[in-house]
């Protein structure tokens, strides 16, 4: 079982920065990667950024050039550095592990989610 705990959310003015952390435990090595997702009020959850086991990163167009995903494999921790924040970045941010082995089915499609951390950007 993979367990994920996010931290680092809070309130910041537009143009400011925040750094989110996700502490992982369990068998994350069975997963293809980890990522950050967010869900704004009245909106569906959407992917923000992902990093695969080989270090390849992907970003949503809306955050390219502003956000940076990274990981500390030794500490099994995922980070999201968010710079030049905009009001539209306001959302609950969730850490996830994706492409994880499902022992029951034999598939590698299991997702694990953290509890989320609120990010509020004011103008």
């Amino acid at each position: 079982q993979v367990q994920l705990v996010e931290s680092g959310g809070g309130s910041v003015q537009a143009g400011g920065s925040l750094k989110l952390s996700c502490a992982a435990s369990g068998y994350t090595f069975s997963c293809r990667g980890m990522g950050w997702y967010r869900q704004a009020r009245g909106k569906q959850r959407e992917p923000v950024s992902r990093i695969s086991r080989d270090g390849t990163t992907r970003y949503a167009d809306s955050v390219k050039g502003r956000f940076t995903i990274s990981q500390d494999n030794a500490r099994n921790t995922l980070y999201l550095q968010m710079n030049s924040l905009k009001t539209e970045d306001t959302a609950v941010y969730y850490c996830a592990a994706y492409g994880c082995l499902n022992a029951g089915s034999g598939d590698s499609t299991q997702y694990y989610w953290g509890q989320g951390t609120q990010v509020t950007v004011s103008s």
Side-chain angles (χ1 to χ4, degrees):
Q1 187 72 40
V2 175
Q3 296 177 340
L4 307 170
V5 180
E6 302 98 330
S7 62
S11 297
V12 65
Q13 292 185 335
S17 299
L18 284 173
K19 187 173 184 177
L20 306 182
S21 298
C22 172
S25 62
Y27 302 107
T28 56
F29 54 81
S30 72
C31 307
R32 295 181 179 179
M34 299 183 69
W36 292 95
Y37 296 70
R38 68 187 182 188
Q39 186 167 18
R41 283 183 60 249
K43 300 293 182 66
Q44 295 188 111
R45 188 173 300 184
E46 63 178 359
V48 176
S49 182
R50 295 183 294 176
I51 184 166
S52 63
R53 290 288 299 277
D54 67 0
T56 302
T57 59
R58 302 186 70 181
Y59 297 90
D61 288 341
S62 60
V63 307
K64 285 180 180 177
R66 300 188 298 119
F67 292 9
T68 303
I69 191 170
S70 62
Q71 61 186 352
D72 183 336
N73 290 326
R75 296 182 179 274
N76 209 15
T77 302
L78 183 72
Y79 303 97
L80 184 68
Q81 178 66 52
M82 304 185 294
N83 298 326
S84 301
L85 283 162
K86 305 174 180 179
T87 55
E88 51 262 47
D89 295 318
T90 296
V92 176
Y93 283 71
Y94 297 89
C95 175
Y98 65 89
C100 305
L101 177 65
N102 185 316
S105 67
D107 295 331
S108 296
T109 58
Q110 180 71 49
Y111 275 73
Y112 294 93
W113 297 95
Q115 83 287 351
T117 185
Q118 177 71 48
V119 171
T120 302
V121 184
S122 60
S123 61

